[in-house]
């Protein structure tokens, strides 16, 4: 096989045609074989990702997913964007399955692990949320007309955000640290975009498959460490000499004698 100088992960906006790998794989719906397409790419000012697309010619099921081609970061990350115009809606978003989306003005949240990872835009996130809510309208109109009216009002508010008619805050929170929201001024700071990091909780660490000791284990470890330190330390206690009653010090050291508890 001839050697190639092309990088494995190419830029997303590269002029050359992307290299797509096709793999025959099992369809989870009909249990027949479909095709998974893999694209290894690099997003500017971000990192390498693997874009996966599955399609089945038998049952016509399709599924798109994104996975960061990097390890879980040491800390989680939060992007807080002030969406002020239609240009902000076109910002690229890389959302992993561990990321949540929050729009505080509408008290709206897309929880982590409720969707697969994807590469999209701010508008695409809002559009997908609107589509998901609209799919529930027909059911609610029959089963709960009052809730259906409230949902229609909420969808109308979401549509205003999608059309760029109303400014709003877009928060992307990812405990894995691998999500991304485009900075239109990169590599310079963006006054509308605030980026911060946070220590993930024990529940978030377990969700990512990272071992995290609970408080009881930490307490036991601390007790063991204190006991270990105590075994190495000579303690001095002020007292009086039993013979002449003059002030003196009594030295003590913790030790372990075999066969004695």
């Amino acid at each position: 096989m001839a050697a190639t100088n092309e990088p494995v992960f190419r830029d997303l906006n590269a002029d050359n045609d992307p290299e797509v790998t096709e793999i025959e794989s099992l369809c989870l719906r009909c249990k027949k074989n479909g095709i998974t397409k893999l694209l290894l790419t690099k997003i500017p000012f971000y990192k390498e990702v693997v874009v996966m697309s599955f399609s089945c010619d038998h049952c016509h099921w399709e599924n798109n997913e994104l996975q960061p081609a990097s390890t879980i970061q040491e800390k989680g990350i939060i992007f807080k964007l002030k969406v002020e115009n239609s240009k902000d809606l076109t910002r690229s978003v890389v959302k992993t399955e561990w990321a949540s989306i929050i729009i505080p003005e509408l008290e709206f949240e897309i929880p982590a692990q409720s969707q697969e990872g994807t590469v999209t835009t701010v508008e695409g996130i809002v559009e997908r949320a609107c589509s998901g809510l609209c799919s529930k309208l027909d059911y609610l109109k029959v089963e709960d007309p009052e809730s259906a009216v409230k949902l229609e009002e909420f969808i109308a508010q979401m549509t205003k955000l999608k059309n760029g008619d109303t400014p709003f805050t877009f928060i992307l929170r990812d405990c894995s640290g691998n999500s991304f929201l485009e900075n239109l001024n990169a590599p310079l700071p963006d006054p509308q975009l605030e980026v911060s990091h946070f220590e993930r909780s024990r529940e978030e660490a377990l969700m990512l498959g990272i071992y995290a000791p609970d408080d009881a284990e930490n307490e036991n470890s601390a007790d063991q460490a204190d006991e270990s330190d105590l075994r190495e330390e000579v303690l001095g206690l002020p007292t009086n000499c039993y013979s002449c009653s003059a002030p003196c010090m009594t030295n003590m050291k913790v030790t372990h004698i075999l066969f004695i508890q």
Side-chain angles (χ1 to χ4, degrees):
M1 182 180 294
T4 176
N5 294 325
E6 291 288 347
V8 176
F9 292 89
R10 302 183 186 180
D11 289 342
L12 189 63
N13 56 356
D15 296 332
N16 53 349
D17 293 333
E19 230 179 75
V20 178
T21 303
E22 295 189 359
I23 303 173
E24 188 174 352
S25 51
L26 180 69
C27 176
L28 299 179
R29 290 287 177 86
C30 67
K31 307 304 179 183
K32 296 181 180 180
N33 285 342
I35 297 295
T36 297
K37 296 181 180 180
L38 302 176
L39 172 63
L40 281 65
T41 187
K42 183 178 181 181
I43 298 177
F45 305 105
Y46 179 51
K47 60 186 72 173
E48 295 86 2
V49 297
V50 179
V51 182
M52 294 173 281
S53 174
F54 175 83
S55 62
C56 178
D57 293 334
H58 303 282
C59 66
H60 305 292
W61 182 56
E62 296 182 351
N63 183 45
N64 300 314
E65 189 175 348
L66 172 139
Q67 290 290 342
S70 58
T71 58
I72 294 173
Q73 305 303 306
E74 185 178 347
K75 293 184 178 181
I77 192 168
I78 298 177
F79 296 90
K80 186 175 181 180
L81 172 67
K82 295 180 179 178
V83 181
E84 298 178 350
N85 50 56
S86 57
K87 187 177 181 181
D88 291 327
L89 292 171
T90 65
R91 293 177 186 246
S92 298
V93 177
V94 178
K95 176 187 173 298
T96 72
E97 63 177 300
W98 300 291
S100 60
I101 304 291
I102 302 171
I103 301 177
E105 287 82 356
L106 297 183
E107 298 183 355
F108 176 76
E109 179 177 359
I110 303 174
Q113 291 192 304
S114 62
Q115 297 177 350
E116 67 277 1
T118 184
V119 179
T120 182
T121 61
V122 174
E123 181 182 5
I125 294 287
V126 180
E127 169 66 31
R128 185 173 180 180
C130 287
S131 299
L133 295 173
C134 287
S135 66
K136 300 178 180 180
L137 265 180
D138 293 336
Y139 171 78
L140 286 178
K141 285 179 179 179
V142 176
E143 299 294 330
D144 191 349
E146 184 177 347
S147 296
V149 172
K150 294 180 180 178
L151 182 58
E152 284 182 324
E153 294 175 352
F154 187 83
I155 293 174
Q157 292 179 304
M158 292 284 288
T159 303
K160 289 182 179 180
L161 303 187
K162 183 190 67 174
N163 296 335
D165 298 333
T166 305
F168 66 97
T169 305
F170 182 90
I171 300 175
L172 174 62
R173 185 185 188 278
D174 186 359
C175 61
S176 76
N178 282 326
S179 285
F180 169 77
L181 205 163
E182 183 183 7
N183 175 356
L184 295 180
N185 297 333
L188 300 176
D190 188 334
Q192 293 175 230
L193 181 63
E194 178 184 331
V195 183
S196 59
H197 296 83
F198 64 93
E199 297 285 349
R200 63 178 63 92
S201 66
R202 181 174 183 272
E203 290 73 18
E204 291 172 330
L206 294 176
M207 181 176 65
L208 295 170
I210 302 174
Y211 171 72
D214 56 22
D215 294 339
E217 291 182 32
N218 288 331
E219 185 176 345
N220 290 337
S221 298
D223 291 342
Q224 291 173 1
D226 291 343
E227 184 178 350
S228 177
D229 293 341
L230 190 60
R231 289 181 181 276
E232 301 299 325
E233 185 176 356
V234 176
L235 303 178
L237 298 178
T239 184
N240 294 325
C241 175
Y242 69 93
S243 178
C244 65
S245 298
C248 63
M249 294 291 294
T250 298
N251 294 327
M252 295 187 297
K253 186 176 187 301
V254 178
T255 187
H256 176 69
I257 301 175
L258 291 176
F259 309 114
I260 298 179
Q261 297 293 331

